[in-house]
Amino acid sequence: MMRVAVWWVVLMACWVATLATLAPVELAVGAAGALIAAGTAVAAQRALRRRWSFDPRWLRWLALVPLTALTESALLLTLVRRESRKRSPGLRRLARPEIGGGARADGHRALGGAVLSAAPGSYLVDWPGDAQRPVLLHTVVSGWPRLDEEVLS
C-alpha cells in the first residue's frame, strides 16, 4: 500500500505541474487517474518480479518537465498557425544510455519513459531492455531545453 501511495504522490505532482489552472474537476480526474496508474505500476512490478531503484539525480528531469511543456506548447502553437511546416513529425531512433542492468536500469527506463512522454511535443514509443536496439521517440517539435538528451545521457 505504501508503494501505491508513493506512486500516487509522484504522478499527482506530474499532473499538477502540467495544469494551467487548479480546477477541482482537474484535480479529481488527476487523482483518480494517478490512483489507477499507481496501482497498475505496483501490480506490474510484482508481476515482473522486479524492483526499481531510484537515483536522486533523476529529479532534475522532473524539474525540466514544466519548462519543456511550456516551450513545446509554444512551438506547437506556431506550427498550427503556419500553413507550411519547417519540420514534419517523425520517429527518432536514439542511442540508449549506458545505465547497466538490474533495478537501476529498470527505474531509469520507467521514470525516463514517463518524463519523455509528459511534454506535448513528443512521446516515447519504445525503450527496449535489449541494449542492441535504440530508443524510439516520436517528436513533433524539439528544441531547448532538450529533455530527451538529458534523460538519455
Side-chain angles (χ1 to χ4, degrees):
M1 190 52 107
M2 181 64 169
R3 285 188 195 160
V4 172
V6 170
W7 271 109
W8 183 84
V9 169
V10 169
L11 293 169
M12 272 304 291
C14 292
W15 175 254
V16 170
T18 64
L19 294 178
T21 60
L22 295 177
V25 70
E26 294 280 353
L27 293 174
V29 168
L35 183 60
I36 293 167
T40 303
V42 171
Q45 284 178 323
R46 286 185 183 144
L48 293 172
R49 295 189 179 110
R50 292 191 136 162
R51 292 195 181 269
W52 296 338
S53 71
F54 178 76
D55 186 339
R57 294 176 294 175
W58 298 342
L59 290 174
R60 70 177 179 233
W61 303 344
L62 296 177
L64 285 176
V65 168
L67 182 60
T68 303
L70 287 172
T71 56
E72 289 183 1
S73 294
L75 289 170
L76 286 169
L77 285 174
T78 61
L79 283 178
V80 169
R81 291 184 145 180
R82 283 191 247 142
E83 291 194 27
S84 65
R85 296 181 179 180
K86 285 185 178 179
R87 177 182 145 92
S88 60
L91 192 62
R92 295 173 46 208
R93 297 179 192 288
L94 305 168
R96 287 176 34 98
E98 295 295 327
I99 53 176
R104 185 167 189 275
D106 292 340
H108 189 121
R109 277 198 324 270
L111 182 59
V115 167
L116 287 172
S117 296
S122 65
Y123 68 87
L124 182 67
V125 176
D126 187 27
W127 189 333
D130 177 8
Q132 304 302 318
R133 297 187 347 218
V135 173
L136 299 178
L137 185 70
H138 185 273
T139 57
V140 177
V141 296
S142 63
W144 184 81
R146 303 298 301 176
L147 184 59
D148 57 338
E149 289 178 4
E150 182 71 27
V151 172
L152 297 173
S153 64

